Amino acid sequence: MEVPRRLSFPLVLPKPASSARSPLGAAGQTAGSSKDQTGGEKLISEEKTPESGVIVVVEAPPEDGKAARRFSSQDSFSEESSLSEERLEEEAREAQRRAEEEEAAAKERAAQRQQLAIQELVESERSYLRLLQLSTVTIRSNLQQQLQPPPAGLDSMFLHIEEVIDVSSRLLSLLDQKQLQFGEPDFPQSLCDSFLSLSSEMEAAYKEYLAHYNHVTEVENSYKQKEALWNEVVRVIKAAAPDVNATSLSFFLVMPVQRIARYPLLLQTIQKHTDASHPAYALLEQTAHTSVALNCRINEYKRFREVADKYRKTEMLTIKDKIVRLNTHSIAKKTARLGQQIKHEAGLKPKLVDEEFDALEGFFYVLENGILELLENVEMYLQHLQGFLSCRTEDFDLDMDGEKAPICYKEITTALRQWILPMFEKRMRKLIHQPLCALRDLLVGPRNLIRKRLDKLLDYEVIEGKPNLSYEEQAVANTYRTLNTLLLTELPQFNGLALQMMWSTLGTFSCLHRDLAADMEQLFHSFAQQLPHSSLSPGAFWEWAESSVLEGARRLQHLCRMVEDKLNAPDAQPLSPSSQRRLKQLTDKHGSGKIFQVMSTVVGTRDLDLNLTKGELVAVISEADSRGDRRRWLVDAGGKRGYAAASKLIRYHQPTDDPPPSPHPNLTEDVTTRRRHSYSPAGNAPLPMSQPCFQVVGAYDFTARSKHEVSFRAGEPVRILEPHDKRGSPEWSLVEVRGGQRGYVPSNYLAIMPVGAGLPPNPGFFL
Amino acid sequence: MSWIPFKIGQPKKQIVSKTVERDFEREYDKLQKLEDQTKKLHKDMKKSTEADLAMSKAAVKISADLLSNPLCEQDQAFLDSMTALDTAMRRMDAFNQEKVNQIQKTVVDPLKKYSSVFPSLNMAVKRREQTLQDYKRLQAKVEKYEEKEKTGPVMVKLHQAKEELRPVKDDFEAKNKQLLDEMPKFYQSRIDYFQPSFEALIRAQVVYFTEMYKIFSELTDQIDQAGLTDEQRERETEAKLTELRALSIVADD
């Protein structure tokens, strides 16, 4: 029997089956769709089709026919099937109703969540706008008026905020104009339309703001330097906005940075809770994409401006750059010079030229190697980067959307994975990978030429010493010399340029990392004040985190143990007579503390291992085998002794019931034990005859097979004379039946019955 | 449950009220979803940290291979730059390793531990279900006997059946109550349990990227040409490539 697992009565169907309300249609469709959804879940479809086989006409899928046939053969089984047929129908209808209800409930929930998400977006926009306006209007003017002299650079801090405020209020007014309520189906559509229509203005406003934001932090830091000034500033802020826990200007001024990064997550959340069949779904998707693209472009612009600003400041190249430049030229010059020298002073002497050439050649090969290796490593790096981007850890839903920490994490990770890292990857490919690939391709030419030159050299050496060269031989010599000179002149240039290119890609690599880190820092800045423990020093923070994790683990373990102990205790099923006897035998011999129950059937594999069935009771003699292995216990299985795996044994608790209220207290315990083991009275129970509350009756018909035995019918009251036979075995009891005959009967054919159950207490009762 | 083909042996009396059953299923569904999501998050986190480590190691390899390349011996300035790059990469890798270790301790391991509770819970729900089935079966049996003519053997059997039923019923009710108590509590516990994990995740990254910014700002000042936009870089690269292509030794022969 299976746990009712996710009843995949589908919660969100692409085409809701509940649209067809007729019982015929619904039954057939639900059966069909449950088959669609749960191909492997034959049980569900099997259950549904028998009934629907009765109701549904032709349209049901072919399996119905088979099932109907199956069902009709079941019909012939017993008369009770007609009852269960009704039952089946009833339950099918019920299950169907339940499925429809579940579906409706799930849709309701999704719609609610969507509404909540939309509400979140709009209301957070409103409060954002309000705070921005507060900072601009109230705080700024207060600062200007109240502080004498007004702090320097104050106006520059608020330089671009007006445009942001403007765009935000326009968005809200567009929404207000439509005068729609949150719950209305058209709201998402109007939200998306408004957002998209304003997206270019949003980009313009936010991109200026973000590019300028570094300046804002700089100015604020300069204020912080002067303690008195800063205290004043904080005082003004607190006075102007007492309900908000703000301690700096950047609390307000960082909000646009944060806000633009929040839009993707907010929009994606709305999209997530929207049915794909909703009319506004495609639009929502588009809006979400637009918001991500917006962020990309804003970031790019920010970087462009940063660099441009810096460039304006630096007037001269750094010394390192000069050295780089000098270096490649100097190599070229050196080698050229050397070549010239040799030519002038010594004439063309292949051996000396060889030395120079060999140096160049050596350099070339080293360079080639370096480039190829670098390219390979860069490709490996990019591969892992893609791997990182593909595991979207922000896509979880632990139903914790009300908590700050998970939301912050989601926003940060969304930003990282959806535009910050992708931008980084794009730039790496464009500025590093592509140039390196192009460079690698250019290596082919020189490499081939060098090889050719070697061939020609060999040819040349052969004819070198000859005084008179034939025409062909002269041609060979010329080819060689030309090649050689060509390589001698150009190879240095090649080497130099290639080296310079390599070096600049490495510089770019470093720059890209710096930009990545800068983007992340700016992003984190906006979350700094939201997290409860962000103000703790690193040491204190990690201490808190680790101790919280330990605490959590401890609680979890406690819960686990509790669940396992209480809920997984062995089932309180009454024992079979043989089990009871075994229990008694083992308890008598070993004590109740040693009794264990077998949890699942064990087949012994080694010698002296026992075969035990599930539910069997054993007593543990030793919790280790002769070699000291504690996983193998020596057990007594009622006569047989052997080894069994300890993992399959669980302690057996003798069930202890509360004694029922009985006017005969000295019988209480025995009644209890007899109730538990109601098939055979315990060997040393006092004769019940003396107590009018209970009596012994035959539980089943028994026919005597010898003259020592006596027959009786089920329900016939008997009198126990001796609860064991002549040899003392408790399996047989000596009884007297109605007619006065006496004889032995099997003890487990007897039962204790309360007298009040309708039986008259005298043995004159007749069936 | 309604998916047993043979319906014989089902009690007429509704043992568990619909509301209770629905509540139970709803709570259990929530827990199953939580189980899925925690497993998914655990898997994603593991993959993500693996990729992260691999990326960092690849970056170190870039600089290490270059440094060991004889190219560096050509020139002191080049050697200095490469050494600086290599140092930076190694330092970043060390920070990354630290970050990953912290995440492992405060996020990945707790996620795993949380997931490991679910098998026990699922088993408990299963056992409740088994007990429920037994309960229903025995209840049906009792009802069957109750409907029959009250003869002797019937009375005996009825009594026995009732005796059999009682412990099972108690067991079920205990299990049911326990689970109905524990499931929501466990579900609720996720908030406090995961709060430190998320904060730790964020904090670890803040520390890492702050260091990254410091290290690479310094390095970039040292080895990169200052004040270049992306377009300018591209143009410079293109210029060099053109110059290279202009060489006759490069042209395809």
Side-chain angles (χ1 to χ4, degrees):
Chain A
M1 284 185 236
E2 282 181 24
V3 178
R5 271 182 51 218
R6 322 122 212 264
L7 291 178
S8 38
F9 289 111
L11 297 184
V12 181
L13 295 177
K15 292 187 190 105
S18 55
S19 53
R21 281 287 162 188
S22 72
L24 282 176
Q29 261 184 307
T30 323
S33 60
S34 70
K35 261 195 286 276
D36 290 339
Q37 297 281 74
T38 61
E41 299 263 293
K42 296 276 291 288
L43 280 174
I44 297 183
S45 59
E46 267 178 52
E47 173 269 323
K48 295 201 76 51
T49 44
E51 308 76 60
S52 35
V54 174
I55 315 168
V56 172
V57 180
V58 185
E59 62 165 312
E63 276 189 42
D64 270 2
K66 276 189 269 170
R69 261 179 274 131
R70 211 186 310 137
F71 183 77
S72 52
S73 67
Q74 288 169 13
D75 239 9
S76 55
F77 261 75
S78 65
E79 71 277 14
E80 288 170 302
S81 66
S82 57
L83 276 166
S84 40
E85 201 181 306
E86 282 169 28
R87 248 297 170 58
L88 287 172
E89 281 175 30
E90 200 184 290
E91 292 215 355
R93 275 199 287 276
E94 216 177 272
Q96 203 179 300
R97 262 202 302 277
R98 237 184 296 148
E100 285 163 13
E101 269 174 44
E102 274 296 326
E103 222 179 278
K107 276 188 150 185
E108 181 68 35
R109 280 198 293 272
Q112 255 179 2
R113 288 223 190 97
Q114 185 209 50
Q115 196 177 317
L116 277 173
I118 295 179
Q119 217 167 325
E120 164 88 25
L121 199 156
V122 176
E123 282 175 5
S124 59
E125 186 79 28
R126 273 194 229 280
S127 88
Y128 160 71
L129 181 62
R130 183 180 66 87
L131 283 171
L132 281 185
Q133 281 168 332
L134 177 74
S135 70
T136 321
V137 171
T138 318
I139 296 182
R140 173 183 180 174
S141 56
N142 283 0
L143 279 173
Q144 266 175 335
Q145 287 164 11
Q146 292 180 18
L147 265 64
Q148 291 301 336
L154 187 63
D155 285 342
S156 70
M157 285 176 93
F158 289 89
L159 193 53
H160 295 287
I161 204 168
E162 294 292 331
E163 288 94 358
V164 171
I165 290 178
D166 181 61
V167 112
S168 177
S169 50
R170 276 169 71 188
L171 179 65
L172 282 171
S173 69
L174 271 178
L175 287 174
D176 288 337
Q177 259 173 30
K178 304 276 170 74
Q179 288 190 331
L180 290 172
Q181 290 303 320
F182 288 127
E184 286 182 41
D186 284 339
F187 200 92
Q189 174 124 17
S190 79
L191 177 67
C192 293
D193 285 336
S194 319
F195 191 91
L196 286 172
S197 68
L198 281 173
S199 67
S200 49
E201 277 110 332
M202 232 185 256
E203 187 177 336
Y206 278 93
K207 110 178 148 178
E208 289 300 328
Y209 191 88
L210 256 77
H212 184 69
Y213 184 69
N214 282 338
H215 176 76
V216 168
T217 27
E218 264 173 42
V219 175
E220 190 176 47
N221 283 340
S222 76
Y223 291 172
K224 284 188 185 167
Q225 301 293 337
K226 308 172 206 156
E227 200 177 314
L229 172 63
W230 183 247
N231 288 339
E232 278 298 299
V233 169
V234 174
R235 189 188 58 80
V236 169
I237 292 172
K238 284 212 161 107
D243 53 332
V244 175
N245 188 16
T247 49
S248 65
L249 276 171
S250 61
F251 176 88
F252 296 96
L253 295 173
V254 84
M255 283 186 175
V257 179
Q258 203 185 333
R259 187 73 194 163
I260 191 70
R262 276 197 92 186
Y263 284 126
L265 189 66
L266 288 168
L267 289 164
Q268 282 170 6
T269 313
I270 299 177
Q271 185 191 346
K272 192 170 77 162
H273 293 304
T274 310
D275 210 28
S277 65
H278 195 286
Y281 185 79
L283 197 58
L284 269 171
E285 211 174 352
Q286 189 193 350
T287 318
H289 280 164
T290 311
S291 66
V292 173
L294 259 181
N295 272 286
C296 273
R297 289 198 293 269
I298 289 174
N299 251 29
E300 244 183 293
Y301 178 76
K302 180 192 78 165
R303 212 182 326 283
F304 177 78
R305 284 289 301 274
E306 257 173 55
V307 161
D309 286 346
K310 245 194 184 164
Y311 188 53
R312 274 204 296 269
K313 290 184 207 147
T314 59
E315 268 125 30
M316 26 181 267
L317 299 169
T318 63
I319 295 175
K320 275 284 179 297
D321 300 319
K322 289 192 186 154
I323 290 177
V324 172
R325 300 242 154 105
L326 275 176
N327 212 14
T328 53
H329 288 152
S330 69
I331 291 178
K333 277 191 205 146
K334 267 189 229 163
T335 52
R337 218 175 296 142
L338 196 53
Q340 286 290 349
Q341 244 180 324
I342 290 165
K343 274 186 216 152
H344 284 303
E345 287 172 20
L348 198 52
K349 283 217 171 109
K351 290 199 198 91
L352 284 168
V353 169
D354 275 354
E355 243 174 55
E356 182 198 345
F357 188 87
D358 283 346
L360 277 175
E361 190 186 350
F363 191 94
F364 176 81
Y365 283 134
V366 162
L367 184 66
E368 184 187 23
N369 214 23
I371 291 174
L372 291 175
E373 208 172 41
L374 180 60
L375 188 55
E376 200 182 299
N377 289 340
V378 166
E379 280 175 351
M380 179 67 53
Y381 181 85
L382 285 170
Q383 206 183 330
H384 290 302
L385 176 58
Q386 275 176 336
F388 183 82
L389 283 172
S390 72
C391 34
R392 291 166 63 109
T393 55
E394 67 271 20
D395 275 352
F396 62 90
D397 180 11
L398 296 182
D399 193 16
M400 283 172 77
D401 289 346
E403 299 293 314
K404 280 245 155 71
I407 283 289
C408 285
Y409 173 72
K410 274 195 186 183
E411 288 183 13
I412 290 172
T413 314
T414 308
L416 180 65
R417 276 206 172 80
Q418 291 188 22
W419 68 85
I420 295 183
L421 268 183
M423 269 305 284
F424 175 78
E425 191 193 353
K426 205 169 86 166
R427 290 176 82 200
M428 265 209 78
R429 284 192 191 278
K430 207 168 46 158
L431 302 175
I432 295 180
H433 187 249
Q434 261 178 35
L436 281 176
C437 283
L439 192 55
R440 174 200 53 191
D441 294 339
L442 294 181
L443 289 168
V444 180
R447 200 187 320 140
N448 287 344
L449 272 180
I450 290 175
R451 242 178 259 145
K452 228 189 231 175
R453 175 211 165 264
L454 186 61
D455 296 338
K456 301 297 174 195
L457 174 61
L458 296 172
D459 296 341
Y460 181 77
E461 276 175 352
V462 168
I463 59 169
E464 194 192 339
K466 284 191 188 164
N468 288 323
L469 299 169
S470 72
Y471 185 68
E472 294 95 18
E473 285 166 343
Q474 269 195 348
V476 165
N478 280 336
T479 320
Y480 167 72
R481 278 190 215 119
T482 332
L483 256 182
N484 201 41
T485 325
L486 183 63
L487 282 169
L488 275 176
T489 17
E490 293 201 336
L491 206 51
Q493 287 178 48
F494 183 90
N495 288 345
L497 279 167
L499 188 65
Q500 203 181 348
M501 259 189 83
M502 258 182 90
W503 198 337
S504 68
T505 52
L506 294 169
T508 313
F509 189 65
S510 168
C511 176
L512 292 185
H513 274 84
R514 183 202 59 188
D515 290 346
L516 169 67
D519 286 346
M520 290 305 285
E521 276 216 313
Q522 192 178 54
L523 185 68
F524 285 130
H525 194 55
S526 60
F527 290 103
Q529 286 155 336
Q530 286 189 37
L531 294 172
H533 296 93
S534 56
S535 51
L536 289 176
S537 76
F541 178 83
W542 289 111
E543 229 179 270
W544 165 79
E546 280 170 31
S547 65
S548 304
V549 162
L550 273 172
E551 174 68 25
R554 196 185 55 80
R555 278 204 211 112
L556 217 56
Q557 209 183 12
H558 174 74
L559 171 78
C560 227
R561 234 201 323 253
M562 206 169 54
V563 166
E564 277 177 1
D565 285 346
K566 288 202 179 150
L567 293 168
N568 292 337
D571 292 336
Q573 293 217 352
L575 294 177
S576 68
S578 53
S579 288
Q580 286 165 35
R581 274 198 296 279
R582 170 83 70 85
L583 176 66
K584 179 161 177 1
Q585 178 191 21
L586 292 174
T587 318
D588 288 346
K589 210 172 186 184
H590 301 278
S592 59
K594 297 268 193 229
I595 308 294
F596 280 72
Q597 191 171 31
V598 178
M599 292 201 281
S600 59
T601 304
V602 180
V603 172
T605 47
R606 297 155 65 174
D607 38 296
L608 297 181
D609 270 4
L610 291 176
N611 295 336
L612 300 168
T613 47
K614 175 177 174 180
E616 218 179 314
L617 292 167
V618 298
V620 170
I621 301 171
S622 161
E623 288 188 11
D625 68 5
S626 52
R627 276 191 231 136
D629 183 0
R630 292 197 68 82
R631 294 164 304 173
R632 218 175 152 232
W633 290 359
L634 180 62
V635 300
D636 178 359
K640 306 177 282 176
R641 283 189 175 207
Y643 290 104
S647 56
K648 301 273 178 128
L649 300 175
I650 188 167
R651 196 174 282 280
Y652 183 76
H653 299 282
Q654 315 252 4
T656 44
D657 266 357
D658 289 332
S662 163
H664 306 277
N666 56 344
L667 189 58
T668 306
E669 262 174 59
D670 293 306
V671 167
T672 308
T673 41
R674 256 188 246 130
R675 273 237 194 104
R676 285 245 142 255
H677 317 154
S678 58
Y679 300 112
S680 65
N684 50 0
L687 300 176
M689 259 186 335
S690 49
Q691 307 302 327
C693 281
F694 295 89
Q695 68 171 158
V696 182
V697 297
Y700 316 97
D701 294 348
F702 176 71
T703 315
R705 290 166 303 184
S706 77
K707 59 176 165 65
H708 298 290
E709 298 169 8
V710 69
S711 312
F712 58 82
R713 303 292 298 277
E716 187 180 320
V718 301
R719 216 171 78 158
I720 297 188
L721 303 173
E722 271 176 16
H724 55 81
D725 70 5
K726 286 219 184 78
R727 267 176 271 149
S729 159
E731 300 209 356
W732 292 88
S733 301
L734 182 63
V735 302
E736 181 182 301
V737 297
R738 189 161 36 101
Q741 300 117 354
R742 296 179 174 195
Y744 286 100
V745 300
S747 304
N748 53 4
Y749 272 50
L750 301 173
I752 311 292
M753 284 278 293
V755 164
L759 277 179
N762 60 38
F765 180 81
F766 117 98
L767 282 149
Chain B
M1 270 273 127
S2 50
W3 35 266
I4 302 174
F6 286 87
K7 292 308 166 65
I8 308 161
Q10 292 298 311
K12 300 273 168 64
K13 174 172 93 167
Q14 183 70 272
I15 293 189
V16 182
S17 77
K18 282 216 185 78
T19 359
V20 170
E21 197 57 40
R22 206 177 20 226
D23 282 345
F24 189 90
E25 270 182 36
R26 200 182 37 226
E27 286 302 321
Y28 189 54
D29 282 345
K30 273 177 20 186
L31 281 178
Q32 281 177 328
K33 178 156 179 244
L34 185 62
E35 182 181 4
D36 284 343
Q37 292 291 313
T38 24
K39 284 210 171 90
K40 177 179 184 298
L41 185 59
H42 174 68
K43 201 175 78 153
D44 286 339
M45 277 284 151
K46 260 180 72 174
K47 253 178 76 179
S48 166
T49 39
E50 275 166 18
D52 198 350
L53 280 173
M55 235 166 66
S56 197
K57 296 275 179 263
V60 169
K61 189 163 192 289
I62 288 178
S63 63
D65 283 347
L66 276 172
L67 198 56
S68 62
N69 191 309
L71 271 178
C72 290
E73 295 153 23
Q74 296 298 317
D75 190 75
Q76 188 59 37
F78 198 65
L79 181 63
D80 288 341
S81 302
M82 286 306 109
T83 317
L85 180 67
D86 191 53
T87 317
M89 289 303 173
R90 283 182 200 280
R91 282 179 69 200
M92 274 325 298
D93 191 43
F95 280 117
N96 197 41
Q97 188 67 55
E98 201 181 298
K99 172 184 88 173
V100 163
N101 286 344
Q102 274 164 344
I103 290 181
Q104 186 71 31
K105 256 195 298 187
T106 52
V107 184
V108 180
D109 288 342
L111 268 171
K112 185 148 181 225
K113 283 213 183 80
Y114 203 77
S115 297
S116 68
V117 173
F118 288 101
S120 307
L121 270 174
N122 288 335
M123 179 65 67
V125 171
K126 229 181 187 168
R127 294 189 78 116
R128 170 198 174 269
E129 183 56 27
Q130 281 172 350
T131 315
L132 181 61
Q133 291 313 310
D134 287 339
Y135 182 8
K136 283 189 171 169
R137 181 174 52 88
L138 293 175
Q139 177 76 17
K141 213 159 113 181
V142 165
E143 284 169 4
K144 183 177 87 171
Y145 285 131
E146 272 178 346
E147 282 175 4
K148 281 191 166 166
E149 239 184 84
K150 302 247 188 281
T151 61
V154 169
M155 293 311 297
V156 170
K157 292 211 167 73
L158 176 62
H159 176 64
Q160 282 173 2
K162 282 190 179 165
E163 290 303 308
E164 241 184 304
L165 174 65
R166 193 155 31 96
V168 173
K169 173 175 173 191
D170 291 343
D171 189 29
F172 169 75
E173 278 172 1
K175 287 190 157 90
N176 193 43
K177 177 168 183 310
Q178 196 93 49
L179 278 172
L180 278 175
D181 276 342
E182 293 301 331
M183 289 203 291
K185 268 199 254 171
F186 178 65
Y187 190 76
Q188 193 59 23
S189 76
R190 78 198 183 292
I191 296 184
D192 284 337
Y193 186 82
F194 286 120
Q195 170 87 5
S197 300
F198 285 116
E199 281 200 52
L201 259 176
I202 298 174
R203 185 69 176 245
Q205 289 187 70
V206 169
V207 168
Y208 175 71
F209 282 109
T210 315
E211 288 304 322
M212 191 194 251
Y213 183 72
K214 273 191 253 166
I215 291 176
F216 281 105
S217 293
E218 223 180 280
L219 182 67
T220 311
D221 288 341
Q222 205 181 343
I223 73 170
D224 191 33
Q225 198 175 349
L228 284 181
T229 63
D230 281 8
E231 279 93 3
Q232 283 169 326
R233 283 184 208 270
E234 279 189 88
R235 262 180 273 145
E236 274 198 20
T237 313
E238 204 46 49
K240 287 204 193 79
L241 282 171
T242 318
E243 229 184 295
L244 278 168
R245 287 193 192 107
L247 292 174
S248 359
I249 63 173
V250 168
D252 265 322
D253 203 89

